[in-house]
């Protein structure tokens, strides 16, 4: 991930790092954004993860890769795991300079400008294993010839299932807090308010399908918030569309819903959908990316075409008039989430891949002097990356040096 701000990929890093710490490893989480902190940094701290900021300069930063490599050398990193495209561009060659295996997770198919493709392609040459979070994501990456099949693996996203379950008390409490009638029918969505998430489609569908007593609850913040509030006013539903902003009590907010909606234009395997399923909500989602690998059409909810208002509105109305069907779909979705999408299972798959890469280290890793060591000396103490939290002690009275270093640094 590029920062410690809120996001699905960032939450994957938090859960993965927590599992690695629980297994007895040290983990170094690194962000390259200019903003120094964010909610994910605090989550990582609470789990005993060492957090660092190596800020990227505006534009193409010619020093960032060297600074990352120097950090890896200083911390004795054994494996580098990057997330998101900026981290790939800078951390993958840094891992190569440090002469350790590099793994990169593809959380979706990039929608960014053509100008970055050559940088991603060049950086991919330094990656030993690419991971796609769903089979459709893997197929799209292969179709675009961004990765060779011999380096591509699929590891499905997972969530901390202990945090997500039906919660009648939270349902009542959140509805009271947001002035939502306890008997109202509530559709909700969680995600960054951005064009790719396409919440505008959901607002338009709500204008067609919401009963007068119903509500649409949109959780999240982002550049599209002003446009979405204006659209709700234009369609005459501003009193029934609630914008909760960025929240960190997502499990409780999901418990307050009757249906979860995901109107995205592009997805990998969205955590918000998995979380809604774990809470026992039926879902209506656009059939994009890896959504269909989790949502079983007609059993755990409905898949609808991307960008089309009428099918989305129709499926929402169908669940509104048939509470029995909605409850049955919610139960089925929770069963699937509990069986397939745990963070522990995700972490186990990644640890297996780490072990494979460490065993198969190419000859380049045995160099007497690693380039990263030289870079660490060149940069020196006065130019070290900024540590934004103290490394946690072990809690058992022994110095941290007694604990084996983690196999991975996770550039955020």
């Amino acid at each position: 991930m590029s920062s410690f701000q809120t996001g699905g990929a960032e939450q994957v890093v938090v859960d993965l790092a927590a599992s690695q710490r629980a297994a007895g490893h040290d983990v170094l989480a690194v962000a390259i954004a200019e903003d120094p902190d964010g909610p994910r940094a605090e989550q990582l701290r609470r789990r005993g993860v060492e957090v660092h900021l190596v800020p990227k300069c505006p534009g193409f930063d010619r020093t960032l890769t060297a600074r990352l490599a120097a950090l890896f050398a200083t911390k004795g990193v054994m494996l580098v795991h990057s997330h998101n495209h900026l981290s790939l561009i800078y951390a993958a060659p840094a891992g190569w300079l440090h002469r350790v295996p590099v793994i990169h997770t593809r959380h979706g198919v990039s929608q960014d400008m053509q100008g970055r493709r050559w940088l991603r392609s060049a950086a991919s040459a330094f990656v030993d294993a690419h991971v796609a979070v769903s089979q459709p994501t893997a197929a799209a990456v292969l179709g675009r010839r961004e990765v060779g099949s011999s380096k591509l693996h699929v590891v499905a996203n997972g969530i901390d299932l202990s945090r997500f379950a039906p919660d009648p008390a939270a349902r009542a409490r959140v509805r009271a807090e947001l002035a939502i009638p306890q008997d109202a029918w509530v559709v909700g969505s969680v995600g960054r308010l951005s064009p790719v998430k396409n919440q505008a489609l959901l607002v338009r569908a709500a204008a067609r399908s919401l009963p007068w007593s119903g509500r649409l609850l949109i959780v999240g913040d982002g550049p599209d918030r002003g446009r979405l509030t204006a659209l709700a006013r234009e369609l005459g539903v501003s009193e029934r569309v609630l914008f909760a902003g960025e929240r960190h009590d997502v499990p409780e907010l999901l418990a307050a819903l009757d249906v979860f909606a995901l109107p995205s234009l592009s997805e990998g395997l969205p955590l918000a959908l998995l979380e809604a399923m774990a809470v026992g909500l039926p879902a209506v989602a656009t059939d994009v990316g890896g959504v269909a690998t989790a949502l079983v059409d007609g059993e755990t909810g409905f898949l609808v075409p991307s960008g089309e208002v009428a099918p989305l509105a129709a499926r929402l109305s169908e669940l509104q008039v048939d509470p029995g069907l909605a409850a049955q779909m919610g139960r089925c979705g929770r069963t699937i989430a509990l069986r397939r999408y745990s963070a522990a299972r995700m972490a186990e798959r990644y640890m297996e891949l780490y072990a494979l890469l460490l065993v198969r280290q190419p000859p380049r890793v045995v160099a007497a002097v690693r380039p990263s060591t030289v870079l660490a000396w060149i940069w020196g103490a006065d130019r070290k990356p900024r540590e934004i939290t103290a490394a946690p002690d072990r809690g058992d009275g022994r110095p941290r040096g007694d604990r084996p270093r983690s196999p991975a640094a996770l550039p955020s």
Side-chain angles (χ1 to χ4, degrees):
M1 54 185 174
S2 299
S3 73
F4 292 126
Q5 299 304 317
T6 301
E10 290 81 358
Q11 187 62 55
V12 167
V13 171
V14 171
D15 291 335
L16 181 56
S19 294
Q20 290 169 342
R21 282 287 293 168
H25 301 290
D26 284 348
V27 183
L28 180 69
V30 184
I32 62 175
E34 296 177 56
D35 51 318
D37 211 338
R40 300 306 187 210
E42 180 57 32
Q43 287 180 308
L44 288 161
R45 292 187 189 103
R46 291 199 301 266
R47 289 158 176 79
V49 176
E50 189 174 345
V51 180
H52 279 264
L53 175 70
V54 185
K56 174 185 172 297
C57 297
F60 181 73
D61 190 334
R62 298 177 183 274
T63 69
L64 181 53
T65 289
R67 288 184 283 134
L68 287 170
L71 175 65
F72 297 160
T74 301
K75 294 296 181 178
V77 166
M78 297 171 61
L79 182 145
V80 172
H81 187 170
S82 65
H83 298 259
N84 289 337
H85 302 297
L86 277 180
S87 294
L88 167 67
I89 290 168
Y90 293 102
W96 182 85
L97 288 170
H98 186 46
R99 298 298 194 256
V100 297
V102 177
I103 177 174
H104 176 69
T105 295
R106 301 296 193 98
H107 291 275
V109 179
S110 174
Q111 302 294 319
D112 65 359
M113 297 177 293
Q114 290 282 114
R116 276 187 194 163
R117 284 197 178 181
W118 74 271
L119 285 172
R120 295 201 309 271
S121 178
S124 293
F126 299 104
V127 176
D128 298 286
H130 291 261
V131 172
V133 298
S134 68
Q135 287 289 354
T137 301
V141 168
L142 286 173
R144 294 169 60 162
R145 299 183 179 179
E146 294 183 0
V147 176
S149 59
S150 63
K151 286 187 175 184
L152 187 60
H153 306 260
V154 176
V155 177
N157 283 340
I159 59 173
D160 181 357
L161 292 168
S162 67
R163 299 178 57 227
F164 298 92
D167 189 341
R171 177 185 178 89
R173 184 173 62 253
V174 168
R175 288 188 172 215
E177 174 197 339
L178 299 177
I180 298 174
Q182 294 295 327
D183 59 350
W185 183 72
V186 182
V187 179
S189 189
V190 178
R192 178 170 168 77
L193 307 188
S194 64
V196 72
K197 297 299 183 181
N198 200 22
Q199 287 93 350
L201 183 75
L202 182 55
V203 173
R204 294 183 185 280
R208 297 190 184 193
S209 61
L210 271 182
W212 283 107
S213 61
R215 298 290 187 274
L216 170 60
L217 178 62
I218 296 179
V219 180
D221 209 346
D224 266 13
R225 178 158 184 169
R227 185 170 71 92
L228 292 169
T229 55
L231 178 62
R233 286 195 301 270
E234 176 188 331
L235 296 175
V237 292
S238 57
E239 293 183 358
R240 290 179 286 155
V241 178
L242 309 178
F243 293 91
E246 185 173 317
R247 300 276 295 245
H248 306 297
D249 55 346
V250 171
E252 291 78 12
L253 290 163
L254 288 173
L257 306 180
D258 294 291
V259 177
F260 179 80
L262 186 78
S264 303
L265 296 172
S266 176
E267 288 286 357
L269 181 57
L271 295 192
L273 174 62
L274 305 183
E275 293 166 354
M277 291 169 59
V279 170
L281 293 174
V284 181
T286 48
D287 189 3
V288 296
V291 169
T293 63
L295 194 163
V296 183
D297 189 36
E299 294 185 20
T300 66
F302 294 115
L303 294 170
V304 295
S306 177
E308 297 186 22
V309 174
L312 177 57
R315 289 304 195 183
L316 291 174
S317 294
E318 186 172 345
L319 291 173
Q320 190 267 325
V321 300
D322 193 344
L325 174 64
Q328 177 184 338
M329 287 180 163
R331 288 191 296 269
C332 183
R334 177 164 167 76
T335 298
I336 290 176
L338 294 176
R339 187 169 67 241
R340 299 181 186 173
Y341 297 112
S342 72
R345 178 174 178 170
M346 173 187 68
E348 182 180 359
R349 292 289 311 280
Y350 274 116
M351 291 301 290
E352 290 171 354
L353 184 55
Y354 291 174
L356 179 64
L357 293 176
L358 288 166
V359 167
R360 293 181 178 178
Q361 287 186 26
R364 59 177 167 82
V365 304
V366 300
V369 179
R370 305 182 192 206
S372 58
T373 303
V374 177
L375 288 168
W377 177 81
I378 292 172
W379 280 90
D382 60 329
R383 302 177 75 182
K384 285 181 181 178
R386 180 151 49 98
E387 185 176 337
I388 62 174
T389 182
D393 60 28
R394 295 188 56 171
D396 58 6
R398 289 181 289 168
R400 282 182 56 86
D402 291 346
R403 184 186 288 274
R405 287 220 62 82
S406 169
L410 301 171
S412 306

